[in-house]
Amino acid sequence: MAIEQESVKGNDPDKAIISASLTGALTTRDQCEAIPYTPEEIAEDAAAARENGAAVAHIHARTGNGSPTFDTEVYQRIYDEVRERTDILINFSTGAMHEPVESRTEYIREVKPDIAALNMGSMNYAKYSDSRDDFVFDMVFENPFNEIREFLTTMRENGVKPELECFDTGHIGNIRPFVKNGELEAPINFSLVMGVLGGIPPTVENLAHQVRQLPDDATWQVIGISREQWQLVSAALAMGGNIRVGLEDNFYLPNGEMSTNPELVAKAAEMTRNVGREPATPAEAADLMEIEPPHL
């Protein structure tokens, strides 16, 4: 039995929801050859991740050559291919640079995934290489309140659970007007993203600070970017949190070996059991987040 502690919030102290971020939008096979591109490849990774302990698959659609796409037909193919293979909860990204909101809400309305990610604030969004002494990329990630409201409305009208991606403390505070107006209802599902340059740095102290800002009944997971992910996964599991791993966020196992989505999930499941918790099934995760469980 897990020790009672305030950091658990609305999570299950005995079960941890493991999410697998399978693709991402910026990562390529030039960086890691195991990244899936096609709907079939994404679905195969989702099924393998489920077998290794994941309850949620977080997905960005890709074209056959790996470039991002927001085509509703592609998202529908991904949904169908995944659902043919597994009962894992399907979580579609809505994040993008310079892509109209209309194209990012259309596939939410038409495909109706179980969950959809929603970025909760604007920020500088960059990656810096110390070895090159230069930026790998340097962008402004715009997510104004009027767009957040449009996403929330679309998700609410179509029975899709929002996953609020918060890259800094202010992003958590941005829920206030939407809670007040009834556009966000408990339990609110948070992802605490840490390690993006422009957002909150990936330290255990900062993770504890972020969790303290959450509503008492919130469900939450940590998303650690790059190799710092594993320290944050370890801390979150001990705090009663949920966790996300996968090739969108980090290519490497703790020992530095380049990995695959199923292998990263297997390591996360092992770490979950090492702290006396068990990976949640998709049905258990759906119950915790108060969404309809998937039906094969």
Side-chain angles (χ1 to χ4, degrees):
M1 179 65 67
I3 298 172
E4 291 188 9
Q5 52 187 339
E6 291 183 1
S7 59
V8 175
K9 300 287 182 174
N11 291 338
D12 186 332
D14 298 312
K15 300 273 186 176
I17 300 171
I18 301 174
S19 294
S21 54
L22 303 178
T23 53
L26 300 175
T27 52
T28 70
R29 285 182 180 159
D30 290 337
Q31 300 166 307
C32 176
E33 63 182 17
I35 294 171
Y37 285 172
T38 68
E40 294 80 7
E41 291 168 347
I42 291 169
E44 289 295 329
D45 261 21
R50 164 69 172 102
E51 288 299 311
N52 284 352
V56 180
H58 175 73
I59 297 167
H60 294 248
R62 300 291 193 101
T63 64
N65 66 9
S67 59
T69 180
F70 302 91
D71 189 289
T72 297
E73 291 186 5
V74 176
Y75 271 104
Q76 185 66 65
R77 283 184 58 208
I78 292 171
Y79 183 93
D80 292 342
E81 293 286 346
V82 173
R83 196 50 75 231
E84 283 182 8
R85 292 166 171 80
T86 179
D87 63 345
I88 199 167
L89 297 173
I90 297 174
N91 177 339
F92 284 163
S93 171
T94 63
M97 309 280 185
H98 316 303
E99 185 70 24
V101 173
E102 291 76 15
S103 67
R104 292 183 282 148
T105 53
E106 181 183 355
Y107 58 83
I108 300 301
R109 287 192 302 271
E110 297 298 322
V111 184
K112 296 179 175 59
D114 305 298
I115 305 165
L118 172 55
N119 298 288
M120 287 302 292
S122 300
M123 60 184 293
N124 289 334
Y125 192 96
K127 181 176 181 180
Y128 184 81
S129 170
D130 289 318
S131 61
R132 292 191 227 168
D133 193 21
D134 197 5
F135 289 95
V136 178
F137 57 83
D138 178 11
M139 298 173 282
V140 175
F141 193 21
E142 296 181 356
N143 297 286
F145 284 107
N146 66 303
E147 292 187 3
I148 293 172
R149 171 164 280 139
E150 191 167 345
F151 281 117
L152 282 173
T153 299
T154 300
M155 294 176 195
R156 187 175 63 256
E157 290 177 348
N158 290 277
V160 177
K161 181 73 175 183
E163 175 218 340
L164 309 186
E165 294 201 348
C166 299
F167 293 77
D168 217 333
T169 299
H171 293 180
I172 297 172
N174 286 348
I175 70 170
R176 186 171 63 86
F178 305 113
V179 171
K180 181 180 179 182
N181 294 330
E183 295 166 285
L184 267 174
E185 297 179 354
I188 303 174
N189 183 29
F190 289 87
S191 285
L192 306 176
V193 189
M194 308 183 71
V196 173
L197 185 59
I200 195 166
T203 68
V204 174
E205 292 86 353
N206 282 341
L207 175 59
H209 170 73
Q210 291 290 78
V211 173
R212 281 193 292 269
Q213 314 310 307
L214 302 178
D216 289 340
D217 57 356
T219 59
W220 65 273
Q221 70 173 355
V222 72
I223 300 176
I225 306 302
S226 297
R227 294 278 295 280
E228 290 85 357
Q229 177 183 85
W230 295 111
Q231 289 90 345
L232 294 172
V233 163
S234 180
L237 287 170
M239 294 167 65
N242 302 316
I243 55 176
R244 189 176 100 174
V245 297
L247 295 176
E248 174 178 352
D249 306 324
N250 166 48
F251 302 148
Y252 301 98
L253 292 167
N255 64 5
E257 178 184 345
M258 187 169 282
S259 192
T260 66
N261 282 312
E263 290 171 349
L264 292 169
V265 171
K267 174 55 69 173
E270 176 189 351
M271 294 173 68
T272 299
R273 295 185 177 101
N274 284 345
V275 298
R277 302 173 71 193
E278 284 293 323
T281 66
E284 290 168 336
D287 183 62
L288 190 67
M289 291 186 281
E290 297 189 8
I291 61 178
E292 286 293 319
H295 300 288
L296 292 177

